[in-house]
Amino acid sequence: MNIKDCNFNGKKTFVRVDFNVPLQNGKVTDDTRIRGALPTLKKVLNDGGRLIIASHLGRPEKNPDEKYSLHQILYKVSELLGVEVKFAPDCTKAQKEVESLKNGEALMLENLRFYAEEEGKPRNLPADITDEQKAAAKKEIKEAQKSFAKTLASYADCYVNDAFGTAHRAHASTAIIADYFDKDNKMFGFLMEKEVTAVKSIMDNPQRPFTAIMGGSKVSSKIDIITNLMNKVDNLIITGGMTYTFTKANGGNIGNSIYEEDKLDLALELIAEAKAKGVNLVMAIDSKIADKFANDANTRFVKEGAIPDGWMGLDIGPDTEKLFASVIENSKTILWNGPAGVFEFDNFSHGSFAIAQAIVNATKKGAYSLIGGGDSVACINMFGFVEDVSYVSTGGGALLEAIEGKILPGIAAIER
Ligand code: AMP
């Protein structure tokens, strides 16, 4: 079912959101996540639905754990939704509160993660138990997880998942619960749907040329993504600190630049794989180097592979910016994950800015651009380009797993 075609009038509607918001002294300090779910929540209420809001908050280790009580954010959810949201202090005993809901009213359940069943992982196991005991505890909690999901499902006539940030987890409220609803009564929320559509435009049927820009500090943390993208993209730009593992593997001098000694062979394998698969692998041809890891370091531009001892590459140089921009601006689909340099320092953010600018230019010419993963999202925000690219993912880990080619349990559960 598509949420826009659903009429929630009179329906008890369980909406899994991601209200894992930052708190200080019991006050919400950033309400972006709550705002993100408003279109879905308002649609249910405006249709005359009976809204049941469910989320996790933080990583509680016990039940209850006041520090992580969702009661703290009730004032903010009520304020933003424009209705007084009721509260069920135990998410497994909310039947009465649910039954007393009238059309157009809203109820929020206490933190789902107060129960270990939500994540389906045993908690507080004694350190001295045997492997068999551990396996038995795991099996037991998996069984308990099913009945926890069944209890949550029993509250509602339909289920909406609007928590993309947890879509890569097979938790009770993000995946297992969906099996208790038939296809006409389960759906993605508006926020989740945007994310799913964005991932599909990139992974399933991209317009070509498709360029992925992978940056960041380490090859090791991006290896699964790079390997999967090799089968999808026309151009693969590798940038950021991981460049130097490739440069060193190719016999270049990298001075004190960051690199991974145990990934040198892997770098050569990736270069060979790109060649074999006809992927245009594009890497830096010059670097902006620094004599210390600091914004006020002395700097110079050098050709790639010619970094003197005592110096380190902290950003791409102007020739590389031009090279990357020409590839990006001739693309029809663009995925950007990870900065080109130490963008947190003003003096080493220009390369990331140049990439962002080229993505904006390509988007203006009709390309589809998806920005995902913490640091490139931070860059796009910092440079003020959020409105000038096709989509900025809120997904973090979920988006990265989708790009790795993994099936996300939260998506699969709705689609089956
Ligand atoms: P990641 O978390 O792997 O996506 O990497 C992001 C981090 O990589 C950012 O904090 C950047 O400062 C860092 N980074 C990017 N380029 C370099 C570089 N040349 N040297 C050291 N760190 C870098």
Side-chain angles (χ1 to χ4, degrees):
M1 171 63 91
N2 191 307
I3 182 165
K4 72 175 186 331
D5 302 324
C6 186
N7 184 351
F8 292 98
N9 191 20
K11 285 192 179 167
K12 288 177 278 174
T13 308
F14 187 104
V15 186
R16 174 57 157 103
V17 292
D18 178 2
F19 283 176
N20 186 23
V21 292
L23 290 166
Q24 219 165 24
N25 303 325
K27 294 278 168 232
V28 177
T29 54
D30 181 350
D31 61 12
T32 312
R33 286 189 168 153
I34 304 177
R35 287 179 188 277
L38 288 181
T40 297
L41 303 182
K42 284 192 169 162
K43 156 85 174 145
V44 175
L45 290 178
N46 292 342
D47 277 2
R50 304 174 182 199
L51 176 63
I52 304 156
I53 305 169
S55 179
H56 72 283
L57 175 67
R59 299 199 162 275
E61 283 289 317
K62 55 182 185 179
N63 182 18
D65 191 341
E66 277 313 304
K67 198 169 143 217
Y68 297 111
S69 173
L70 277 169
H71 193 262
Q72 302 170 89
I73 76 163
L74 200 60
Y75 80 96
K76 187 49 96 181
V77 180
S78 298
E79 180 189 312
L80 292 175
L81 259 186
V83 297
E84 192 209 324
V85 180
K86 300 177 174 149
F87 192 69
D90 184 334
C91 66
T92 65
K93 299 191 179 75
Q95 206 67 46
K96 242 182 38 215
E97 287 96 335
V98 168
E99 288 312 321
S100 69
L101 274 180
K102 298 195 185 70
N103 290 3
E105 287 188 348
L107 168 76
M108 187 156 71
L109 306 183
E110 180 56 288
N111 195 343
L112 299 166
R113 286 198 192 161
F114 279 5
Y115 286 88
E117 286 86 342
E118 164 63 358
E119 293 180 275
K121 277 193 232 134
R123 246 179 221 169
N124 308 324
L125 287 182
D128 55 353
I129 60 172
T130 62
D131 286 350
E132 286 80 52
Q133 285 169 316
K134 254 188 227 160
K138 274 192 193 160
K139 199 166 160 229
E140 193 182 320
I141 190 93
K142 285 283 168 211
E143 284 306 313
Q145 189 182 35
K146 276 188 217 146
S147 71
F148 178 77
K150 194 173 175 187
T151 302
L152 299 179
S154 73
Y155 300 149
D157 304 310
C158 54
Y159 169 73
V160 182
N161 188 350
D162 213 14
F164 183 72
T166 48
H168 55 319
R169 310 275 181 231
H171 291 171
S173 72
T174 61
I176 297 161
I177 185 174
D179 289 339
Y180 295 97
F181 297 88
D182 61 33
K183 253 190 151 340
D184 291 339
N185 289 304
K186 58 181 171 183
M187 66 209 84
F188 299 126
F190 289 115
L191 180 67
M192 179 101 169
E193 194 160 84
K194 272 198 262 173
E195 295 278 355
V196 173
T197 309
V199 168
K200 288 192 171 160
S201 355
I202 292 273
M203 301 311 283
D204 291 354
N205 221 344
Q207 294 253 51
R208 298 197 175 272
F210 176 10
T211 298
I213 307 140
M214 300 303 302
S217 52
K218 292 180 175 171
V219 201
S220 51
S221 62
K222 304 278 163 90
I223 177 67
D224 291 340
I225 300 177
I226 294 176
T227 307
N228 191 41
L229 286 174
M230 280 285 190
N231 301 315
K232 308 251 176 205
V233 299
D234 303 289
N235 305 303
L236 179 59
I237 296 179
I238 296 227
T239 187
M242 69 173 114
T243 308
Y244 302 104
T245 301
F246 287 83
T247 308
K248 190 169 171 74
N250 274 332
N253 289 330
I254 61 164
N256 293 352
S257 307
I258 184 174
Y259 82 105
E260 289 170 281
E261 177 71 35
D262 61 339
K263 294 289 175 286
L264 294 173
D265 289 344
L266 173 73
L268 293 177
E269 283 163 25
L270 288 173
I271 293 169
E273 192 183 341
K275 206 167 171 192
K277 291 188 166 154
V279 172
N280 178 28
L281 187 61
V282 189
M283 283 188 280
I285 48 176
D286 61 347
S287 276
K288 183 172 187 180
I289 60 169
D291 60 356
K292 60 178 175 179
F293 189 83
N295 193 37
D296 64 354
N298 293 308
T299 63
R300 277 161 52 188
F301 293 111
V302 295
K303 292 256 163 286
E304 199 55 32
I307 302 179
D309 290 347
W311 291 70
M312 62 188 88
L314 294 187
D315 199 3
I316 52 175
D319 294 340
T320 307
E321 287 184 4
K322 281 192 211 114
L323 172 69
F324 287 0
S326 71
V327 174
I328 293 167
E329 288 183 24
N330 285 311
S331 304
K332 284 273 186 302
T333 304
I334 302 158
L335 167 70
W336 183 24
N337 172 266
V342 184
F343 75 103
E344 296 93 334
F345 295 150
D346 264 8
N347 279 333
F348 304 100
S349 65
H350 199 271
S352 301
F353 178 80
I355 288 179
Q357 182 69 66
I359 295 174
V360 169
N361 294 345
T363 312
K364 278 199 186 112
K365 288 196 287 178
Y368 181 85
S369 51
L370 170 59
I371 318 300
D375 282 325
S376 16
V377 174
C379 284
I380 280 290
N381 281 322
M382 188 167 108
F383 304 139
F385 286 146
V386 175
E387 302 298 328
D388 304 308
V389 294
S390 308
Y391 194 66
V392 180
S393 172
T394 58
L399 178 84
L400 297 184
E401 288 201 13
I403 304 171
E404 282 171 17
K406 291 191 183 142
I407 293 180
L408 306 191
I411 295 180
I414 296 284
E415 290 181 336
R416 69 172 156 254

